[in-house]
Amino acid sequence: MNTTAPVVQVENLRKTYGSFAAVDSVSFEIQRGETFALLGPNGAGKSTTIEILEGYRDRTGGSVSVLGVDPGKGGLAWKARLGIVLQSSGESGNVSVREQLTHFAGYYPHPRDVDEVVASVGLEEKAGTLIRKLSGGQRRRVDVALGIIGSPELLFLDEPTTGFDPEARQQFWQLIRSLKADGTTILLTTHYLDEAAQLGDRAGVIAGGKMIDIGAIDEIGGQEARTPRVRWRDANGKHEERTHAPGAVVASLMAAGAEPTGLEIVRPSLEDIYLQLVSDHAHAREVENAR
Amino acid sequence: MSTPTTTSSAATAASTPSFGLGIGRSLKLGFSRITLEVRSYFRQGDSVFFTFLFPVVMLTIFAVAFSEQNFGTEEEPLTAAAFYLPGMIAAGLLLSGLQNMAIDIAMERSDGTLKRLAGTPLPVMSYFIGKIGQVFVTGVLQAALVILVASVAFDVELPSEPSKWVTFAWVFVLGVTTSAVLGIALSGLPRSGKSATAVVIPVALVLQFISGVYLGFSMLPEWLQNFASIFPLKWMAQGMREVFLPASFEVMEQSESWNLPGVAIATGLWLVIGLIMTRITFRWIRKDS
């Protein structure tokens, strides 16, 4: 097997329902060992895209290769190399955490150790508890544990930390970092932009079924969107200046006289850049529709 | 939260897709599923009550309600418990198999269980083995309980000839398998897990009434008997009557015979129909729903 080939290759992916295009000529690649974050508002086509890659949905057009296999034709040996954490689960859960994980471990040729996985998602104390008696966040951790039990080469995480408290989210990030260190390739969708910034190597932003931007986490949106802002207050009110030389701006403020109040130098976060991208896209669409 | 150390790295997993994908693996995982399914079944309060204990509850009600009546003749009296026993065993086959499977799988389809399994390397065959195995295990326990209660609590005399128990064994195995397979086939019918009970229970209930479970089959008008003969429950109940009722009851059957070959053929035919329907209609998930 050619290890330099991308793990995921998507070209001009298209999925239509009647006349509605849920996904419209989306293209991207994920390299081995990379964590790729797929971002976008609800209904943008993220889940449709990820479900096509997981083999759950058929595509209308374009070409897709996941671990060198067309997901529409992926067999059991192919599935054994994937880990899938779906967006939601509501199973009756009449088995305990350890029973469920031990059972699922049996599906895979090279499973992880059940107790280690239980520990890695922080459920040691709940290992003997029936899944239906767990809280929403704890059940979500079981979902994640089931996704990684088979030591997947490629892990799909569809909004994995919904319902987690901040501490659980931090622990989850730590887990994902350790999976990355093991060489696992990860495709992540999330609504938490800090999560994407923490974990992702690259990100793609989908809106209205189209990939509106794609790039490294610290480059997405372009250099201009990352221009730092200097904010301060004085007798005339609030001021904000976008500048590539924030130090010079501060120096000139100081040179002008008194220490400014509430002085801040802010670099736009991924969230700021993302919101800007999505709103620019929505605006461009409105203009297009108005014509 | 500790770091999971992988026993084998992801890269080796890639280069060795050598794990058995054949029949051995399907069977092994199938047995693993049976354990999980049976455990899960008995931890679910409503299924234990409505499918597992239902026949024994009904048998008790009939035995007590009609305790003064003779269901046999002057020379050969028969208690209500003895009269209803074969019907209740047949009803158990239908409930544990068809009703339980159809509702259970429809629920699993709508709550995401099947979607999760679809994303794992679990063969569909192993899933079916797990389901049918669960029906088999619970069906055996259920029949044993009904027979035990009939014998101990209501003094029903059980057949002593080994040949009767041979008939019981094959009618039971064929019946429970057919019922389970038809349940799997039927599970695709309800559009959601919530509507499953509403769709499946009336079908099962009507079948029980027209197939000689609650009402003596010979009491039904001929056209209804003929109609009921299309479906397998009538035949399973008939086979069970051959085992548990006195020989003098044979004349009350259609064609005045237990007609065991008919039982085998009709039930077997439904098994084949169920297998074909399952093969054609079963999907892990409704794609693009």
Side-chain angles (χ1 to χ4, degrees), chain A residues 1 15 17 51 55-58 76-77 79-81 84 86 89-92 94-96 99-100 103-104 106-112 116 119-122 130 132 141 143 146 151-153 171-172 175 178-179 182, chain B residues 1-17 19 21 25 28-29 32-33 36 39-41 43-45 108 111-124 284-289:
Chain A
M1 192 180 152
K15 175 71 187 179
Y17 296 98
E51 290 200 344
Y56 283 123
R57 286 174 198 269
D58 297 326
L76 298 181
K79 288 180 186 175
R81 299 163 65 195
I84 298 177
L86 293 165
S89 64
E91 291 139 290
S92 50
N94 282 310
V95 290
S96 74
E99 284 168 350
Q100 179 88 329
H103 175 74
F104 272 71
Y107 297 176
Y108 297 91
H110 307 288
R112 285 193 161 83
E116 279 173 14
S120 73
V121 296
L130 294 189
R132 74 171 136 92
R141 295 198 225 172
D143 291 340
L146 289 171
S151 356
E153 285 171 68
Q171 289 179 340
F172 172 77
L175 168 66
S178 74
L179 293 174
D182 280 351
Chain B
M1 197 169 268
S2 70
T3 306
T5 43
T6 346
T7 35
S8 61
S9 78
T12 31
S15 54
T16 53
F19 77 121
L21 288 172
R25 181 173 176 271
K28 190 180 128 252
L29 290 179
S32 168
R33 295 264 344 144
L36 194 83
R39 252 185 210 154
S40 180
Y41 176 89
R43 285 175 186 163
Q44 191 139 14
E108 289 194 348
D111 72 18
T113 306
L114 295 193
K115 190 170 184 182
R116 192 200 296 284
L117 293 177
T120 71
L122 177 75
V124 181
W284 282 124
I285 56 166
R286 286 184 211 277
K287 274 200 179 176
D288 302 330
S289 60

Side-chain angles (χ1 to χ4, degrees), chain B residues 69-87 164 212 215-219 225 237-259:
Chain B
Q69 285 183 41
N70 179 8
F71 285 80
T73 58
E74 286 289 320
E75 309 81 56
E76 206 176 12
L78 195 71
T79 64
F83 179 79
Y84 277 111
L85 177 61
K164 293 282 188 189
L215 308 172
F217 194 70
S218 56
M219 289 157 52
Q225 289 190 352
Q238 188 169 316
M240 289 300 172
R241 283 198 294 274
E242 194 273 346
V243 176
F244 292 100
L245 292 188
S248 61
F249 274 70
E250 186 165 6
V251 291
M252 290 162 74
E253 296 295 327
Q254 269 187 316
S255 72
E256 298 180 12
S257 156
W258 297 123
N259 192 5

